[in-house]
Amino acid sequence: MRLAAAALLVAVTAGLSGCTGAPDREQEALDIRNRIAEMPGVADVDLIYDNGVLEGTRFELEVDMEQASDQQVGAVVDQLDELRGDDFAKFNQRMKILVAQQTSISGGAELPEDTGQVTGLVRRLRADAPAGEIMWLGGGAPDASKVRIHEAEKPGAAVDAVLRIFADRPPSEIEVSAADRVADPHWMIFNPLTPADKQRIDRQLAAAAPADPGWIGVRDGRVERLTFSVPTPATAYEDVVRTIHAVEAGPAHPVGLTWVWADDPARYNEPRWAGSAMIGKCDYPSGDRTKTEPLVPDALALQQRIRDEFDTCLK
């Protein structure tokens, strides 16, 4: 019976593989891989091709060009776009070009026409921003690009490097995580950010001290979400209020705040010393401003006080 069931599974899987709605393009994918592998500057090419109900429809290439020139990278991308054409329109496509150690340029159905220029910028970023992995992601439109920097040694300086290097081609999204997640913040930036905006935000965060930022969310050039730690419960109210004023949070500029006591002794699943509030707005889960995670009584009282004073919900 086990053999019969196994045979049935194979038969069903084989039958399903032709029901994805995408045409069989395996040979074309292999041909593209082989032709790209022969191009100048290409050290290696990895191919993932799937076309089955269980596996999905995927056409992915990873091209190692760490030692290639910027122009050679651009030539490979131009050839990739030409060879693919519209043949893989019904596939999930991902093209990843390795342009330096732990540094890549990726795109989907198309990559930018100026990939050679982008390669030079990404390589400059690698030299100027010590970090783990650096990724540039985008398509044909310059305003759709994103930059991801993982485990940056100095996250704030890494953001500055992106803004400086990509001044003429600003990404629509920047994310920078910290190598030291305890000492340094995680930046998440939506919409293009100017160096002047970043300098203003840096001044605001400095004015919020000793509140210590852990996660900084920025949209349209302003802080819209901030997680930070406070050194002691005794001064937490003053620290939270000072932070609210420092980032200019209010009805004209709402900000979601979350704070924690840096030395909170609570263990997993125990009530914490922390809190959160929607400053200048009323956007709590289910519209309930009293809803909260389990907090110790003092922290719960502070949270409600901040909400009473600074959110816009009906009291």
Side-chain angles (χ1 to χ4, degrees), residues 171-189:
S172 62
E173 189 175 301
I174 302 170
E175 182 174 10
V176 180
S177 68
D180 187 340
R181 291 179 291 177
V182 175
D184 297 317
H186 184 118
W187 288 79
M188 189 71 227
I189 300 168

Side-chain angles (χ1 to χ4, degrees), residues 114-196:
D114 60 344
T115 301
Q117 178 184 350
V118 172
T119 298
L121 298 177
V122 172
R123 285 170 166 170
R124 282 178 55 195
L125 181 61
R126 162 54 68 191
D128 289 2
E133 187 176 12
I134 295 179
M135 298 176 287
W136 184 97
L137 306 98
D143 60 354
S145 62
K146 303 176 183 180
V147 173
R148 300 274 188 272
I149 302 178
H150 293 170
E151 299 183 345
E153 293 183 9
K154 297 179 179 180
V159 173
D160 292 335
V162 174
L163 300 181
R164 180 179 66 255
I165 293 170
F166 288 87
D168 295 329
R169 206 185 194 285
S172 62
E173 189 175 301
I174 302 170
E175 182 174 10
V176 180
S177 68
D180 187 340
R181 291 179 291 177
V182 175
D184 297 317
H186 184 118
W187 288 79
M188 189 71 227
I189 300 168
F190 300 98
N191 304 339
L193 182 72
T194 68

Side-chain angles (χ1 to χ4, degrees), residues 276 289-290 299-309 311:
S276 65
R289 68 189 301 270
T290 65
L300 184 59
L302 173 62
Q303 174 179 265
Q304 201 57 50
R305 180 181 179 184
I306 295 295
R307 292 182 177 186
D308 287 342
E309 293 182 16
D311 73 23

